[in-house]
Coordinates of all heavy atoms in Angstrom, one line a residue:
M1 N 15.6 -1.8 -24.1 CA 14.6 -1.9 -23.1 C 13.8 -0.6 -23.1 O 14.3 0.4 -23.0 CB 15.1 -2.3 -21.7 CG 15.8 -3.6 -21.6 SD 14.5 -4.9 -21.7 CE 13.9 -4.8 -20.0
P2 N 12.4 -0.7 -23.0 CA 11.7 0.4 -22.8 C 12.0 1.0 -21.4 O 12.1 0.4 -20.5 CB 10.2 0.0 -22.9 CG 10.2 -1.5 -22.8 CD 11.7 -2.0 -23.1
G3 N 12.1 2.4 -21.4 CA 12.4 3.0 -20.1 C 11.2 3.6 -19.4 O 11.3 4.3 -18.4
D4 N 10.0 3.3 -19.8 CA 8.8 3.8 -19.2 C 8.0 2.9 -18.4 O 6.9 3.2 -18.0 CB 7.8 4.4 -20.4 CG 7.4 3.2 -21.3 OD1 7.9 2.1 -21.2 OD2 6.6 3.5 -22.1
Q5 N 8.7 1.8 -17.8 CA 8.0 0.9 -17.1 C 7.7 1.5 -15.6 O 8.7 2.0 -15.0 CB 8.7 -0.4 -16.9 CG 7.8 -1.4 -16.2 CD 8.6 -2.9 -16.2 OE1 9.6 -3.0 -16.8 NE2 7.8 -3.8 -15.6
V6 N 6.5 1.5 -15.2 CA 6.2 2.3 -14.0 C 6.0 1.2 -12.9 O 5.4 0.1 -13.1 CB 4.8 3.0 -14.1 CG1 4.6 3.7 -12.8 CG2 5.1 4.0 -15.3
E7 N 6.6 1.4 -11.8 CA 6.4 0.5 -10.6 C 5.1 0.6 -10.0 O 4.4 1.7 -10.1 CB 7.5 0.7 -9.6 CG 8.9 0.8 -10.2 CD 9.7 -0.3 -9.4 OE1 9.3 -1.0 -8.5 OE2 10.8 -0.6 -10.0
H8 N 4.7 -0.5 -9.4 CA 3.4 -0.5 -8.6 C 3.6 0.2 -7.3 O 3.7 -0.4 -6.2 CB 2.8 -1.9 -8.5 CG 2.4 -2.5 -9.8 ND1 1.1 -2.4 -10.2 CD2 3.1 -3.1 -10.7 CE1 1.0 -3.0 -11.4 NE2 2.1 -3.5 -11.7
T9 N 3.7 1.5 -7.3 CA 4.0 2.3 -6.1 C 2.8 3.3 -6.0 O 2.1 3.6 -7.0 CB 5.3 3.0 -6.2 OG1 5.4 3.7 -7.4 CG2 6.5 2.0 -6.0
P10 N 2.5 3.8 -4.8 CA 1.4 4.7 -4.6 C 1.7 6.1 -5.1 O 2.8 6.7 -4.8 CB 1.2 4.7 -3.1 CG 2.5 4.3 -2.6 CD 3.1 3.4 -3.5
A11 N 0.7 6.6 -5.8 CA 0.7 8.1 -6.1 C 0.2 8.9 -4.9 O -0.8 8.5 -4.4 CB -0.1 8.4 -7.3
R12 N 0.9 10.0 -4.5 CA 0.4 10.8 -3.4 C -0.3 12.0 -4.0 O 0.2 12.5 -4.9 CB 1.6 11.1 -2.4 CG 2.4 9.8 -2.0 CD 1.7 9.2 -0.8 NE 1.7 10.1 0.3 CZ 2.6 10.2 1.2 NH1 3.7 9.5 1.1 NH2 2.5 11.0 2.3
P13 N -1.3 12.6 -3.4 CA -1.9 12.0 -2.1 C -3.1 11.1 -2.4 O -3.8 10.7 -1.4 CB -2.4 13.2 -1.4 CG -2.9 14.1 -2.6 CD -1.9 13.8 -3.7
S14 N -3.3 10.7 -3.6 CA -4.5 9.8 -3.9 C -4.3 8.3 -3.4 O -5.3 7.6 -3.1 CB -4.8 9.7 -5.3 OG -3.9 9.1 -6.0
W15 N -3.1 7.8 -3.3 CA -2.7 6.5 -2.9 C -3.4 5.5 -4.0 O -3.6 4.3 -3.6 CB -3.2 6.1 -1.6 CG -2.3 6.8 -0.5 CD1 -2.3 8.2 -0.2 CD2 -1.1 6.2 0.1 NE1 -1.3 8.4 0.7 CE2 -0.6 7.3 0.8 CE3 -0.5 5.0 0.1 CZ2 0.6 7.1 1.7 CZ3 0.6 4.8 0.9 CH2 1.2 5.9 1.6
D16 N -3.4 6.0 -5.2 CA -3.8 5.0 -6.3 C -2.5 4.5 -6.8 O -1.5 5.3 -6.8 CB -4.6 5.7 -7.4 CG -6.0 5.9 -6.9 OD1 -6.6 5.2 -6.1 OD2 -6.7 6.9 -7.5
C17 N -2.5 3.3 -7.4 CA -1.2 2.8 -8.0 C -0.7 3.6 -9.1 O -1.7 3.9 -10.0 CB -1.4 1.3 -8.3 SG 0.0 0.6 -9.1
Q18 N 0.5 3.9 -9.2 CA 1.0 4.7 -10.4 C 1.1 3.8 -11.6 O 1.0 4.4 -12.7 CB 2.5 5.2 -10.1 CG 2.4 5.9 -8.9 CD 3.6 7.0 -8.8 OE1 3.7 7.8 -9.6 NE2 4.6 6.8 -7.8
A19 N 1.1 2.5 -11.5 CA 1.2 1.6 -12.7 C -0.2 1.2 -13.2 O -0.4 1.3 -14.4 CB 2.0 0.4 -12.4
C20 N -1.1 0.8 -12.3 CA -2.4 0.3 -12.8 C -3.6 1.1 -12.4 O -4.7 0.8 -12.8 CB -2.5 -1.2 -12.4 SG -2.6 -1.4 -10.5
G21 N -3.4 2.1 -11.6 CA -4.4 3.0 -11.2 C -5.4 2.5 -10.1 O -6.4 3.1 -9.8
R22 N -5.2 1.2 -9.7 CA -6.1 0.7 -8.6 C -5.6 1.3 -7.3 O -4.5 1.7 -7.1 CB -6.1 -0.7 -8.6 CG -6.9 -1.4 -9.8 CD -6.8 -2.9 -9.9 NE -5.5 -3.2 -10.2 CZ -5.1 -4.6 -10.3 NH1 -5.9 -5.5 -10.0 NH2 -3.8 -4.8 -10.6
P23 N -6.6 1.1 -6.3 CA -6.2 1.6 -4.9 C -5.0 0.9 -4.4 O -4.9 -0.4 -4.6 CB -7.4 1.3 -4.1 CG -8.6 1.3 -5.0 CD -8.0 0.8 -6.3
W24 N -3.9 1.5 -4.0 CA -2.7 0.8 -3.5 C -2.9 0.3 -2.2 O -3.5 1.1 -1.3 CB -1.5 1.9 -3.6 CG -0.2 1.2 -3.5 CD1 0.6 0.7 -4.5 CD2 0.5 1.0 -2.3 NE1 1.7 0.2 -4.0 CE2 1.7 0.4 -2.7 CE3 0.3 1.3 -1.0 CZ2 2.7 0.0 -1.7 CZ3 1.2 1.0 0.0 CH2 2.4 0.3 -0.4
P25 N -2.4 -0.8 -1.7 CA -1.6 -1.7 -2.5 C -2.5 -2.6 -3.4 O -3.3 -3.4 -2.9 CB -0.9 -2.6 -1.4 CG -1.8 -2.5 -0.2 CD -2.5 -1.2 -0.3
C26 N -2.2 -2.6 -4.7 CA -2.8 -3.4 -5.6 C -2.2 -4.8 -5.6 O -1.2 -5.0 -4.9 CB -2.6 -2.8 -7.1 SG -0.9 -2.7 -7.5
D27 N -2.8 -5.7 -6.3 CA -2.3 -7.2 -6.2 C -0.8 -7.3 -6.4 O -0.1 -8.0 -5.7 CB -3.1 -8.1 -7.1 CG -4.5 -8.3 -6.5 OD1 -4.7 -8.0 -5.3 OD2 -5.4 -8.8 -7.3
P28 N -0.3 -6.7 -7.6 CA 1.2 -6.9 -7.8 C 2.0 -6.2 -6.7 O 3.0 -6.8 -6.4 CB 1.4 -6.2 -9.1 CG 0.0 -6.1 -9.8 CD -0.9 -6.0 -8.7
A29 N 1.5 -5.1 -6.1 CA 2.3 -4.5 -5.0 C 2.2 -5.4 -3.8 O 3.2 -5.5 -3.1 CB 1.6 -3.1 -4.6
R30 N 1.1 -6.1 -3.5 CA 0.9 -7.0 -2.3 C 1.9 -8.1 -2.5 O 2.5 -8.5 -1.6 CB -0.5 -7.4 -2.2 CG -1.4 -6.3 -1.8 CD -2.8 -6.7 -1.7 NE -3.6 -5.6 -1.4 CZ -4.9 -5.6 -0.9 NH1 -5.4 -6.8 -0.5 NH2 -5.5 -4.6 -0.8
D31 N 1.9 -8.6 -3.8 CA 2.8 -9.7 -4.0 C 4.3 -9.4 -3.7 O 5.0 -10.1 -3.1 CB 2.8 -10.2 -5.5 CG 1.5 -11.0 -5.8 OD1 0.9 -11.4 -4.8 OD2 1.3 -11.2 -7.0
R32 N 4.7 -8.2 -4.2 CA 6.1 -7.8 -4.1 C 6.4 -7.6 -2.6 O 7.4 -7.9 -2.0 CB 6.3 -6.5 -4.9 CG 7.7 -6.1 -4.8 CD 8.1 -5.0 -5.8 NE 7.1 -3.8 -5.7 CZ 7.3 -2.8 -4.8 NH1 8.3 -2.8 -4.0 NH2 6.4 -1.9 -4.7
L33 N 5.5 -6.8 -1.9 CA 5.7 -6.5 -0.4 C 5.8 -7.8 0.4 O 6.6 -7.9 1.3 CB 4.5 -5.7 0.1 CG 4.5 -4.2 -0.4 CD1 3.1 -3.7 -0.2 CD2 5.5 -3.4 0.4
S34 N 5.0 -8.7 0.1 CA 5.1 -10.0 1.0 C 6.3 -10.8 0.6 O 6.8 -11.6 1.4 CB 3.7 -10.8 0.9 OG 3.4 -11.0 -0.4
R35 N 6.8 -10.7 -0.7 CA 8.0 -11.4 -1.1 C 9.2 -10.7 -0.4 O 10.2 -11.3 0.0 CB 8.2 -11.3 -2.6 CG 7.9 -12.6 -3.3 CD 8.6 -12.7 -4.7 NE 8.8 -11.4 -5.4 CZ 7.8 -10.9 -6.2 NH1 6.6 -11.5 -6.3 NH2 8.0 -9.7 -6.8
E36 N 9.2 -9.4 -0.3 CA 10.4 -8.7 0.1 C 10.5 -8.5 1.7 O 11.5 -8.1 2.1 CB 10.4 -7.3 -0.5 CG 10.7 -7.4 -2.1 CD 10.6 -6.0 -2.7 OE1 10.3 -5.0 -2.1 OE2 11.0 -6.0 -3.9
N37 N 9.4 -8.7 2.3 CA 9.4 -8.5 3.8 C 8.9 -9.7 4.5 O 8.0 -10.4 4.0 CB 8.4 -7.4 4.0 CG 8.8 -6.0 3.5 OD1 9.6 -5.3 3.9 ND2 8.3 -5.7 2.2
G38 N 9.5 -9.8 5.7 CA 8.9 -10.9 6.6 C 7.6 -10.4 7.1 O 7.2 -9.3 7.0
R39 N 6.9 -11.2 7.8 CA 5.6 -10.9 8.4 C 5.5 -9.8 9.3 O 4.7 -8.8 9.1 CB 5.0 -12.2 9.1 CG 3.6 -12.2 9.4 CD 3.3 -13.5 10.2 NE 2.0 -13.4 10.9 CZ 0.9 -13.6 10.2 NH1 1.0 -13.9 8.9 NH2 -0.3 -13.5 10.7
V40 N 6.5 -9.6 10.2 CA 6.5 -8.5 11.1 C 7.0 -7.2 10.4 O 6.3 -6.2 10.6 CB 7.4 -8.9 12.2 CG1 7.6 -7.6 13.3 CG2 6.9 -10.0 13.1
E41 N 8.0 -7.4 9.6 CA 8.4 -6.2 8.9 C 7.3 -5.6 8.0 O 7.1 -4.4 7.9 CB 9.5 -6.5 7.9 CG 10.9 -6.9 8.5 CD 11.8 -7.4 7.3 OE1 11.5 -8.5 7.0 OE2 12.7 -6.7 6.9
L42 N 6.5 -6.5 7.4 CA 5.4 -6.1 6.5 C 4.4 -5.3 7.3 O 3.9 -4.3 6.9 CB 4.9 -7.2 5.8 CG 3.7 -7.0 4.9 CD1 4.1 -6.1 3.8 CD2 3.1 -8.3 4.3
A43 N 4.0 -5.9 8.5 CA 3.1 -5.2 9.3 C 3.5 -3.8 9.7 O 2.7 -2.9 9.7 CB 2.7 -6.0 10.5
V44 N 4.8 -3.6 10.2 CA 5.3 -2.4 10.6 C 5.3 -1.4 9.4 O 4.8 -0.2 9.6 CB 6.8 -2.6 11.1 CG1 7.4 -1.2 11.4 CG2 6.8 -3.4 12.4
K45 N 5.7 -1.8 8.2 CA 5.8 -1.0 7.1 C 4.3 -0.6 6.7 O 4.1 0.6 6.4 CB 6.4 -1.9 5.9 CG 6.5 -1.1 4.6 CD 7.2 -1.8 3.6 CE 8.7 -1.9 3.9 NZ 9.6 -2.1 2.7
M46 N 3.3 -1.5 6.8 CA 2.0 -1.1 6.4 C 1.4 -0.1 7.4 O 0.6 0.7 7.0 CB 1.1 -2.3 6.2 CG 1.6 -3.1 5.0 SD 2.0 -2.3 3.4 CE 0.4 -1.7 2.9
W47 N 1.7 -0.3 8.6 CA 1.3 0.7 9.7 C 1.7 2.1 9.4 O 1.1 3.1 9.5 CB 1.7 0.3 11.1 CG 0.7 -0.6 11.8 CD1 1.0 -2.0 12.2 CD2 -0.6 -0.4 12.2 NE1 -0.1 -2.4 12.8 CE2 -1.2 -1.6 12.8 CE3 -1.5 0.7 12.0 CZ2 -2.4 -1.7 13.3 CZ3 -2.8 0.6 12.5 CH2 -3.2 -0.6 13.1
D48 N 3.0 2.2 9.0 CA 3.6 3.5 8.5 C 2.7 4.1 7.3 O 2.5 5.2 7.4 CB 5.1 3.3 8.2 CG 6.0 3.1 9.3 OD1 5.5 3.4 10.5 OD2 7.1 2.7 9.1
H49 N 2.5 3.2 6.4 CA 1.7 3.6 5.3 C 0.3 4.1 5.7 O -0.2 5.1 5.1 CB 1.6 2.6 4.3 CG 2.8 2.4 3.5 ND1 3.7 3.3 3.0 CD2 3.4 1.2 3.1 CE1 4.7 2.7 2.4 NE2 4.6 1.5 2.4
I50 N -0.3 3.5 6.6 CA -1.6 3.8 7.1 C -1.6 5.3 7.7 O -2.4 6.1 7.4 CB -2.2 2.9 8.2 CG1 -2.7 1.6 7.5 CG2 -3.3 3.5 8.9 CD1 -3.4 0.6 8.4
E51 N -0.5 5.5 8.5 CA -0.4 6.9 9.1 C -0.3 7.9 8.1 O -0.8 9.1 8.2 CB 0.8 6.9 10.1 CG 0.6 6.1 11.4 CD 1.7 6.1 12.3 OE1 2.6 7.0 12.1 OE2 1.6 5.4 13.3
E52 N 0.6 7.6 7.1 CA 0.7 8.6 6.0 C -0.5 8.9 5.2 O -0.9 9.9 4.9 CB 1.8 8.2 5.0 CG 3.2 8.2 5.6 CD 4.2 7.6 4.8 OE1 4.1 7.6 3.5 OE2 5.3 7.0 5.2
A53 N -1.2 7.6 4.9 CA -2.4 7.8 4.1 C -3.5 8.5 5.0 O -4.3 9.2 4.2 CB -2.9 6.4 3.8
A54 N -3.6 8.4 6.2 CA -4.6 9.0 7.0 C -4.4 10.5 6.9 O -5.3 11.3 7.0 CB -4.5 8.5 8.5
R55 N -3.0 11.0 6.9 CA -2.7 12.4 6.7 C -3.2 12.9 5.4 O -3.7 13.9 5.2 CB -1.2 12.6 7.0 CG -0.9 12.7 8.5 CD 0.4 13.4 8.7 NE 1.5 12.5 8.2 CZ 2.1 11.6 8.9 NH1 1.8 11.4 10.2 NH2 3.1 10.9 8.3
D56 N -2.9 12.1 4.3 CA -3.3 12.5 2.9 C -4.8 12.4 2.7 O -5.3 13.1 1.8 CB -2.6 11.6 2.0 CG -1.1 11.8 1.8 OD1 -0.7 12.9 2.3 OD2 -0.4 11.0 1.3
M57 N -5.5 11.5 3.3 CA -6.9 11.3 3.0 C -7.7 11.3 4.3 O -8.2 10.3 4.9 CB -7.1 9.9 2.4 CG -6.3 9.8 1.1 SD -6.7 8.2 0.3 CE -5.8 7.1 1.4
P58 N -7.8 12.5 5.0 CA -8.4 12.6 6.3 C -9.9 12.2 6.3 O -10.5 11.9 7.3 CB -8.1 14.1 6.7 CG -7.9 14.7 5.5 CD -7.2 13.8 4.5
Q59 N -10.4 12.2 5.1 CA -11.9 11.9 4.9 C -12.1 10.3 5.0 O -13.3 9.9 5.1 CB -12.5 12.4 3.7 CG -12.2 11.8 2.4 CD -10.7 12.1 1.9 OE1 -9.9 12.8 2.6 NE2 -10.3 11.6 0.8
S60 N -11.0 9.6 4.9 CA -11.2 8.0 4.9 C -11.4 7.5 6.3 O -10.6 7.9 7.2 CB -10.0 7.4 4.2 OG -9.9 7.9 2.9
P61 N -12.4 6.8 6.5 CA -12.5 6.1 7.8 C -11.4 5.2 8.2 O -10.8 4.5 7.3 CB -13.8 5.3 7.7 CG -14.5 5.7 6.5 CD -13.5 6.4 5.6
A62 N -11.0 5.2 9.5 CA -9.8 4.4 9.8 C -10.0 2.9 9.6 O -9.2 2.2 9.1 CB -9.5 4.6 11.4
S63 N -11.2 2.4 9.7 CA -11.6 1.0 9.5 C -11.3 0.7 8.0 O -10.8 -0.5 7.7 CB -13.0 0.7 9.8 OG -13.9 1.5 9.0
E64 N -11.6 1.6 7.1 CA -11.4 1.4 5.6 C -9.9 1.3 5.3 O -9.5 0.5 4.6 CB -12.0 2.6 4.9 CG -12.2 2.4 3.5 CD -13.0 3.6 2.8 OE1 -14.2 3.6 3.1 OE2 -12.3 4.4 2.2
L65 N -9.2 2.2 6.0 CA -7.7 2.2 5.7 C -7.1 1.0 6.3 O -6.2 0.4 5.8 CB -7.1 3.5 6.4 CG -7.4 4.8 5.7 CD1 -6.8 6.0 6.6 CD2 -6.9 4.9 4.3
F66 N -7.6 0.5 7.5 CA -7.0 -0.7 8.0 C -7.3 -1.9 7.1 O -6.5 -2.7 6.9 CB -7.7 -1.0 9.4 CG -7.3 -2.2 10.1 CD1 -6.1 -2.1 10.9 CD2 -7.9 -3.5 9.9 CE1 -5.6 -3.3 11.5 CE2 -7.4 -4.5 10.5 CZ -6.2 -4.5 11.2
D67 N -8.5 -2.0 6.6 CA -8.9 -3.1 5.6 C -7.9 -3.1 4.4 O -7.5 -4.1 3.9 CB -10.3 -3.0 5.1 CG -11.3 -3.5 6.2 OD1 -10.9 -4.0 7.3 OD2 -12.5 -3.2 6.0
R68 N -7.7 -1.9 3.9 CA -7.1 -1.8 2.6 C -5.5 -1.9 2.8 O -4.9 -2.6 2.0 CB -7.3 -0.3 2.1 CG -6.4 0.1 0.9 CD -6.8 1.4 0.4 NE -5.9 2.1 -0.6 CZ -6.1 3.1 -1.1 NH1 -7.2 3.9 -0.9 NH2 -5.2 3.6 -2.0
F69 N -4.9 -1.5 4.0 CA -3.4 -1.5 4.1 C -2.9 -2.6 4.9 O -1.8 -3.2 4.8 CB -2.9 -0.2 4.7 CG -2.9 0.9 3.8 CD1 -4.0 1.7 3.6 CD2 -1.9 1.2 3.0 CE1 -4.1 2.8 2.7 CE2 -1.9 2.3 2.0 CZ -3.0 3.1 1.9
L70 N -3.8 -3.2 5.8 CA -3.2 -4.2 6.7 C -4.0 -5.6 6.8 O -3.3 -6.5 7.0 CB -3.3 -3.6 8.1 CG -2.2 -4.1 9.1 CD1 -0.9 -3.7 8.6 CD2 -2.4 -3.5 10.5
R71 N -5.2 -5.5 6.5 CA -6.0 -6.8 6.7 C -5.5 -7.9 5.8 O -5.3 -9.1 6.2 CB -7.5 -6.6 6.4 CG -8.3 -7.8 6.9 CD -9.8 -7.5 6.7 NE -10.3 -6.5 7.5 CZ -10.6 -6.7 8.8 NH1 -10.4 -8.0 9.4 NH2 -11.1 -5.7 9.6
W72 N -5.0 -7.5 4.6 CA -4.4 -8.6 3.6 C -3.2 -9.2 4.1 O -2.9 -10.3 3.5 CB -4.3 -8.0 2.3 CG -3.2 -6.9 2.2 CD1 -3.4 -5.6 2.5 CD2 -1.9 -7.1 1.9 NE1 -2.2 -5.0 2.4 CE2 -1.2 -5.9 2.1 CE3 -1.1 -8.3 1.5 CZ2 0.1 -5.7 1.8 CZ3 0.2 -8.0 1.3 CH2 0.8 -6.8 1.4
T73 N -2.5 -8.6 5.1 CA -1.2 -9.2 5.4 C -1.4 -10.5 6.3 O -0.4 -11.1 6.6 CB -0.3 -8.1 6.2 OG1 -0.9 -7.8 7.4 CG2 -0.1 -6.9 5.3
D74 N -2.5 -10.6 6.9 CA -2.7 -11.8 7.8 C -2.8 -13.1 7.0 O -3.3 -13.2 5.9 CB -4.1 -11.7 8.5 CG -3.9 -10.8 9.7 OD1 -2.9 -10.5 10.2 OD2 -5.0 -10.3 10.2
Ligands
LIG101 ZN1 -0.6 -1.5 -9.4

């Protein structure tokens, strides 16, 4: 088995996906997150990510972070 498979996880501090380079959470990451978490757990987890991302990317508007990290969970 190849040992270089990269997970769809965020690179810090850019929050681009380490596997596909798209803004995280990319589609594969969203699929996995919604499979592995209940609706409430998922929302709590994504709020934590928003707080971390806001510290890493203070130039990003809160509304943009909200759309990116939380809106898709509805
Ligand atoms: Zn990805």
Side-chain angles (χ1 to χ4, degrees):
M1 290 291 286
D4 61 352
Q5 190 171 1
V6 179
E7 302 245 349
H8 290 269
T9 51
R12 306 276 298 272
S14 69
W15 289 81
D16 288 334
C17 177
Q18 308 203 57
C20 62
R22 284 177 293 178
W24 193 91
C26 57
D27 289 342
R30 292 178 189 200
D31 283 349
R32 185 172 52 83
L33 284 162
S34 49
R35 258 201 323 276
E36 292 177 351
N37 298 278
R39 192 182 168 79
V40 173
E41 290 173 285
L42 180 59
V44 169
K45 181 172 288 204
M46 296 316 290
W47 274 116
D48 287 344
H49 287 317
I50 284 185
E51 287 180 11
E52 291 172 28
R55 280 196 289 272
D56 286 346
M57 302 183 289
Q59 75 284 5
S60 295
S63 61
E64 192 175 288
L65 294 175
F66 182 87
D67 284 351
R68 172 171 169 181
F69 286 89
L70 209 64
R71 190 177 293 281
W72 65 274
T73 64
D74 278 339

